[in-house]
Structures are given as C-alpha cells and as structure tokens.
Amino acid sequence: MKITKLYARQVLDSRGNPTVEVEAYFNNYLGRAIVPSGASTGKHEAIELRDGRKEYLGKSVMRAVNNVNKIIAREIKDVEFLNQRAIDDLLIKLDGTPNKSKLGANAILGVSMAVCRLAASVKHKQLYEYIGELSGNKNFRIPIPFANIINGGKHSGSSLKMQEFMIAPVKAKSFKDAARMVSETYHILKGLIKEKYGTLAINVGDEGGFAPPLKTPEEALELITEAIKKAGYKGKIKISMDPAASEFYDGNNYVLDKSYTREEMLNYYSYLLKKYDIYSIEDPFEQDDYEGFKRLSELAKNKLIIGDDLLVTNPERINYAIQHKLCNGLLLKVNQIGTVTEAIHAAKLAIDAKWKVMVSHRSGETEDTFIADLAVGIGCGHIKIGAPCRSDRVSKYNQLLRIEENKIKYGF
Ligand code: PGA
Ligand code: ZN
C-alpha cells in the first residue's frame, strides 16, 4: 500500500513558536502528527531546521515544511507505508547527513510519526498496539508519570539554575490513581508556594510547573517534600531531578550559587540523594562529562541515573555509555534522533542492557499525544510529561487515562 497524499503545514507549539505538522493519507485514512521542540537542546541532537528570516523572529519552519511537500512527498509514494522501517530508511537516505540537517529532523520526524499513525489506523489498531508490533513488545504498560512541578533553568524566568524538579507516583495502583496523586500534590504545592513566596510566585514555567523565586535546589526539594507529606503521599510519591547540567556548565565548572568542580558536584549530589527521597537524576553533569556520569553511577548504584543531553537518543552514544557504564537510564526523545524506527532501536539497546527507559516530552510541546502511546507500546514504564497543567502537558495525561481503560497494567 502506498501513501496517496503527504502534506505539511506550519502550526504553533506551546511556546507560540512555529513547528511542523504533517498529514499522511491513504484514501480516506489520515495519520497526523506535530513535531515538538526543545529549549535546552543537547549539542549532539539531530538538527531542527529553522528559516532564520524576519518572520517569527527567525523561527519559522517553512524550509522544513517545503522539504516535506516538495521532496519527501514525491519520493514516499513509491514505498510501502505499512513498513515503517522502509519509510524511515527512505527519509534517512533522502537527507543523507548524519544529523538530518539537510531536510531537517523536524521535517523527517513529522513524516515518520504521521506515517506511523496512518499505518495504525489502516490496520485498525491503537497506536500503542502498532508501536508494540514495531518494537516486538507485547507487554504493554501504562508508564509512571514524572511530573515536573517546579521549573527552573531555561524553562522559567526564576533564578533556580537546575531545570526540573519532578514527582513520580511510584506506588500508585493505576494511572487514574497516579493522575490524582500528582494533581493533588501539585495543588498543595501551589498553596505552600503562595504562603511562602506570595501570589506572583505561582506563575508557571514552560512545562506547567511553578517557577517561584528559589535560589537553591534544596529550597525546591524542601517544598516538594513538604507538599508530598501534606498530600498524604509520603513514601508513595518519589522525587526526580533533571539539573540539565550542560546549561550551567561554563566550560570548566558548574556554576550554581557558586562555582562547583566535578568533584564538588559529586559530593553535592551524594548529599542530596541522602537527604531527600530521590528516585532518579537526569543529566547531573554536562553532555560530554563522561567521568562525572560514571562516578555518580558508581556512587549511587541503587538510583536511576539518566542520560538526556549525554545520549540524545543516539544509538552510537548509547552504546558508548553502556560499554563505559556512564549511566543506567535512557531519556527517549523522538525528535533528538528524528525517526520512529531509530527511536525504537535506541530504546531496545537500552532495554537489552538492563537500563530503564523514560519516554519524554520536550519543553516546546503540542496537543500531539504520540509519546503517550510510544511509552505504552514499548512497555518502558516511565514517562516524563510535565506538570498536570496546560493542555500541551495534560493531553498526555488524558491519553494515558484513555489507554488505561483497555485494561493495561500500570507501572514498571
Ligand atoms: P528541552 O528540555 O525539551 O527544553 O530540551 C527537556 C529536558 O532537558 O529534559
Ligand atoms: Zn533533560
């Protein structure tokens, strides 16, 4: 079966920046997808093509849109679309660069996801079922949500240098339960922040979490610990952090309230891990600080140390990290690598190495809920979807609530 029409347009993401939407048709069947976009992007990620012209302050994506409509649309008509690998191989070949900089990872991913949706719908399958088929997984799981309820770094205007402070309802019985636990804790945190820092402090950052004027990570961790306790979920909700350390690395040191060496950061993390009920830390060191990752992984054996900017969902970097024991978890972002097939392959490498995989949104999201189905389909048990606030984040919660009605188990 061949695609009868492929069409891209420019739409807006959750920050009001342009992004690519793609529609793939087979007669009356439609698969549609919108591409997300990061702010604290890793330097090894696939390239998102932006026009750099006057419109949208340089951020328009018409070159990527035209690449879909003029180049990919012509070539894709010869390829069987029920074969996702063949579609993605074509996209990779048409681009021909190692980082998808010719056609743009935003053009390529839009097509890859839209075709995946189209195939699911032609086969009368749920998207997660079809992704399960593509990845060879039958053990569907509703993932535990990692909800970023205090936003710092590049995602907010607050002075907090570390980027994300999340809660994870690890002991919830179902996703329905998890959504309730996250929402209640979020609202209790809102009250605590209002009491301590005033009403202005309850404004939210890019991922729907609060962005109060905090200076140190401890202040954020104290607030969250208190909110969890007050909500009655002590021991049932754990804390998770994404410092996104590449963003506060100055080339020599990590600059927080003062300058920290790698050694000092290691000590600092050990102290935080002892003091707070922390389940995972993502990007504790900058993207090429292999030594930092390795040392923390050795030091905190029972914790999940996740690579995001470190790995950029890239099989080569993942293999290197597995070999050198740099971490034990993969943050899976489809737009870092650019096709569904490559993202599934990346997840498999990590799963085979007995790592955990956490599917993730970007700080610039849309109403597209693809990642919810992806997490269920590959059965990875973890998903990072922001706070239960703003529709770009809530849409993922709601999709998981829908999927759970198909009697799929929740958790790891
Ligand atoms: P980004 O951040 O989407 O802005 O890159 C998310 C993350 O670092 O996990
Ligand atoms: Zn990250």
Side-chain angles (χ1 to χ4, degrees), residues 68 73 362 409:
V68 176
R362 298 308 303 246
K409 277 206 192 113

Side-chain angles (χ1 to χ4, degrees), residues 38-41 155 163-164 207 242 282 308 331 333 362-363 384:
S40 69
T41 43
H155 297 164
Q163 185 177 279
E164 301 174 20
E207 297 187 348
D242 177 8
E282 177 185 326
D308 170 15
L331 198 77
K333 287 170 165 170
R362 298 308 303 246
S363 54
K384 188 164 108 152

Side-chain angles (χ1 to χ4, degrees), residues 271-319:
Y271 152 79
L272 292 181
L273 288 171
K274 275 196 199 96
K275 185 155 184 211
Y276 301 100
D277 192 14
I278 293 172
Y279 174 81
S280 64
I281 303 190
E282 177 185 326
D283 282 352
F285 295 92
E286 66 96 13
Q287 54 214 330
D288 293 321
D289 188 349
Y290 303 151
E291 179 72 19
F293 272 91
K294 194 177 162 63
R295 297 267 306 282
L296 185 63
S297 300
E298 281 163 8
L299 206 129
K301 282 216 162 53
N302 58 343
K303 302 287 174 190
L304 183 55
I305 309 296
I306 303 176
D308 170 15
D309 291 353
L310 172 77
L311 305 170
V312 292
T313 316
N314 183 316
E316 272 175 42
R317 291 185 69 88
I318 296 167
N319 276 327

